[in-house]
Amino acid sequence: MERDPTPDVPLLAGMAGLDAGRSQTSHQNRRALLLTRETDTAEFEALAATLGIDIVETIFQRGKPEPRVHLGRGKIEEIAEQMGMRNEGHPWDGIDLILVHHNALPRQLVNLDDALGMEVWDRVRLLLELFTQHAASVEARVQVRIARLLADRSILRELVHRETMGERLGYGAGGRTGWRSVMEATQFEIARLRRRQKKFSRSLAERRRQRVRSGALSVGVSGYTNAGKSLLFSALTGKPVLIQDQVFSTLETTVGRMEKSPRVLLVDTIGFIDRIPADLLDAFSATLREALTCDLLLLLVDASDTPNELRRKLATSRRELFERMEDEVGPLTLILLTKADLCDEEDLRKAVSAVEEVGLLKPLIVSAHTGAGLEELRAAILTALHGPPLTLTLSTGEEPLAALIARVHREAMVIDVMTRKDKTEIRGWIDEASAARLEKEHPEQVMINS
Ligand SMILES: Nc1nc2c(ncn2[C@@H]2O[C@H](COP(=O)(O)OP(=O)(O)OP(=O)(O)O)[C@@H](O)[C@H]2O)c(=O)[nH]1
Ligand SMILES: [Mg+2]
């Protein structure tokens, strides 16, 4: 069958799997109009700004979303008319994109596209574009592609329906290619990518099993997007990762060893956002599972947000976490207030009470930027994983004392060392298996007290 390489409807985020090349297009400096029913559009605007899109004007209409075109039909007609009258110097000159502040229904998107004759993105599509640009690894790219095609499929269902009803033609010259065949190609592509993704999840699961077998303990770093997860991960592991003042910089998991405690593994991962459709997150479920199937979870909350923002993001993070837990209890969780360096005492006090209000434990206050609170955080992580620190008393004997001390330093996180004549006392955290091995191998020389 002959296919037109680009369908004439720019509604399809993944080009229905027909044209993979287009999916990495830059949207830098595009001019857009934003349509909204809500007054607070700050987060949406930040998402658009991340892509370099310039929102020229925001059109706000009070009232409930309408099923046809989200705003009122009259309003959309007015906009279409204005668009038609644009000339050079018109404030809307150069606009080629309509943004809708809403997770729109397929029907609304198709209607808007028809009415305005212009590319239309809703919030989901905006997120998809962002994910596409930030997907750095093969794994992330496959996940994003599945998410895009799933979004396309819902729109294609609508187009097929209209085609069947005779309301809309197929694409290509004279509408000769039916949407039904595009839909089939999309289904096929989704199935193919899902098989690839299954392989990824299997190898992730295998890696996780290997880590468990090796006796390592894992700590997931979770939280709303842009909360500071990657910077904290980097500060604790010394491993460089992408850190940007942008939402969704991170789309895949990175595992790193906590400095000074090589048996503790930290897992950096994708963040949460409000009202993300299940389909979209499902594409990332293997990635999230990696961070959430852990021995301890850190839940990061940006202390420099206003108390209202903080409460909203905390609620979203908790809901997402709760829905994704394999058992009802989930791993032990520490709440962290991050970016403390950007706050004064009053801000911090308000942030702490916002966390406590919802019945969570007292948060730890940290700044990955200045390093404040990080030693306390390491101690809290180790205590949560291994219990309170132990004291090891090492005595002279068959094995040279210096060798024993060096080994303890390698395997434990040492808090302090006291040297007497023929004995050395070391206080620190050590995992049970290492402690048991030490005692078993050198029963005369090693004594452990809690
Ligand atoms: N001042 C200050 N800035 C911070 C701190 N932690 C993170 N940031 C900044 O906050 C922004 C986001 O940090 P990231 O570590 O990328 O956040 P993330 O949670 O990994 O974000 P995503 O991966 O995009 O979800 C960056 O500009 C960081 O430099 C902090 O403790 N203090
Ligand atoms: Mg990150």
Side-chain angles (χ1 to χ4, degrees):
M1 183 180 52
E2 201 186 330
R3 272 204 190 116
D4 195 324
T6 45
D8 53 0
V9 178
L11 279 167
L12 304 176
M15 299 312 288
L18 295 177
D19 182 8
R22 257 203 55 165
S23 59
Q24 290 274 357
T25 329
S26 158
H27 301 290
Q28 202 72 36
N29 300 326
R30 282 185 78 174
R31 288 161 62 80
L33 203 62
L34 173 62
L35 313 182
T36 178
R37 289 284 195 182
E38 288 161 70
T39 42
D40 184 6
T41 53
E43 186 168 276
F44 189 98
E45 284 175 33
L47 291 170
T50 304
L51 281 171
I53 294 171
D54 177 14
I55 296 178
V56 177
E57 196 177 323
T58 299
I59 299 192
F60 166 70
Q61 197 182 25
R62 215 179 293 280
K64 277 221 289 274
E66 290 190 19
R68 253 188 61 86
V69 280
H70 187 58
L71 297 189
R73 207 190 294 200
K75 192 82 189 165
I76 296 298
E77 276 165 18
E78 230 175 81
I79 296 171
E81 204 170 305
Q82 276 280 328
M83 284 287 176
M85 295 193 316
R86 285 182 299 169
N87 49 15
E88 222 175 300
H90 189 287
W92 290 2
D93 189 28
I95 289 182
D96 66 349
L97 182 62
I98 305 290
L99 298 173
V100 186
H101 186 258
H102 176 60
N103 293 353
L105 300 168
R107 180 167 23 130
Q108 293 173 324
L109 286 169
V110 177
N111 287 339
L112 277 167
D113 178 70
D114 279 350
L116 299 170
M118 201 175 276
E119 196 164 340
V120 180
W121 295 0
D122 68 337
R123 195 169 158 278
V124 175
R125 176 66 183 270
L126 184 63
L127 285 169
L128 284 171
E129 294 298 334
L130 199 72
F131 283 6
T132 307
Q133 307 240 317
H134 290 178
S137 66
V138 179
E139 176 194 347
R141 276 204 290 273
V142 169
Q143 294 179 147
V144 174
R145 188 128 180 84
I146 293 176
R148 290 177 80 107
L149 290 170
L150 288 171
D152 284 1
R153 190 170 66 181
S154 64
I155 291 178
L156 282 164
R157 282 209 187 103
E158 178 69 21
L159 293 172
V160 167
H161 171 72
R162 292 186 187 203
E163 191 180 47
T164 317
M165 306 296 286
E167 292 170 14
R168 205 177 213 275
L169 293 177
Y171 72 89
R176 79 186 124 93
T177 312
W179 287 116
R180 195 173 292 280
S181 65
V182 179
M183 174 91 163
E184 278 160 18
T186 307
Q187 292 280 32
F188 184 79
E189 182 70 0
I190 292 173
R192 188 182 72 82
L193 290 170
R194 282 213 163 128
R195 280 195 298 275
R196 259 183 91 175
Q197 195 188 25
K198 267 226 176 81
K199 273 194 211 150
F200 277 130
S201 345
R202 272 201 296 269
S203 73
L204 277 182
E206 180 49 34
R207 281 214 304 261
R208 200 161 59 223
R209 272 193 296 276
Q210 275 172 11
R211 286 204 294 270
V212 172
R213 269 201 299 272
S214 75
L217 295 170
S218 61
V219 181
V221 182
S222 70
Y224 208 81
T225 180
N226 210 37
K229 300 177 293 300
S230 296
L231 191 63
L232 184 75
F233 171 87
S234 236
L236 292 175
T237 61
K239 199 168 172 169
V241 282
L242 179 69
I243 295 148
Q244 279 180 311
D245 194 10
Q246 284 193 349
V247 289
F248 296 110
S249 312
T250 310
L251 292 180
E252 52 266 300
T253 50
T254 310
V255 180
R257 296 182 183 278
M258 183 154 91
E259 272 177 336
K260 301 185 224 161
S261 320
R263 286 168 167 279
V264 176
L265 299 177
L266 285 146
V267 187
D268 182 28
T269 191
I270 181 174
F272 304 120
I273 193 165
D274 259 348
R275 292 181 288 167
I276 195 157
D279 263 5
L280 229 176
L281 256 194
D282 270 359
F284 291 92
S285 59
T287 304
L288 272 168
R289 198 171 320 118
E290 175 84 352
L292 304 186
T293 322
C294 53
D295 300 291
L296 173 70
L297 192 67
L298 306 180
L299 174 54
L300 275 62
V301 184
D302 185 340
S304 71
D305 274 334
T306 62
N308 274 344
E309 279 286 281
L310 191 150
R311 270 189 282 269
R312 175 178 73 84
K313 293 181 180 178
L314 183 60
T316 301
S317 307
R318 290 182 77 201
R319 193 178 52 244
E320 293 292 346
L321 283 174
F322 190 73
E323 279 170 12
R324 266 148 222 294
M325 288 308 167
E326 283 180 359
D327 53 58
E328 267 169 43
V329 191
L332 186 60
T333 306
L334 294 178
I335 313 285
L336 309 184
L337 283 173
T338 59
K339 310 195 190 177
D341 57 293
L342 299 176
C343 306
D344 59 25
E345 270 187 25
E346 178 65 9
D347 297 336
L348 284 174
R349 206 185 46 71
K350 281 188 187 150
V352 170
S353 42
V355 170
E356 286 175 336
E357 259 166 42
V358 290
L360 291 169
L361 291 180
K362 199 174 177 56
L364 288 165
I365 298 173
V366 299
S367 161
H369 190 63
T370 62
L374 291 191
E375 280 316 306
E376 290 83 349
L377 172 59
R378 277 180 210 278
I381 291 175
L382 290 164
T383 302
L385 292 174
H386 302 306
L390 300 174
T391 304
L392 281 80
T393 311
L394 311 175
S395 342
T396 46
E398 200 178 316
E399 181 82 359
L401 195 53
L404 270 183
I405 294 173
R407 173 160 166 197
V408 172
H409 273 277
R410 268 198 312 278
E411 295 187 12
M413 174 151 169
V414 174
I415 306 171
D416 56 33
V417 181
M418 238 172 49
T419 313
R420 300 221 190 88
K421 236 182 13 242
D422 55 348
K423 276 191 175 48
T424 295
E425 270 187 9
I426 303 183
R427 220 163 79 81
W429 287 274
I430 183 160
D431 67 274
E432 274 172 35
S434 305
R437 255 198 319 274
L438 257 172
E439 249 186 333
K440 192 159 166 245
E441 288 171 27
H442 308 284
E444 309 289 314
Q445 287 180 265
V446 178
M447 210 175 69
I448 298 178
N449 303 311
S450 48

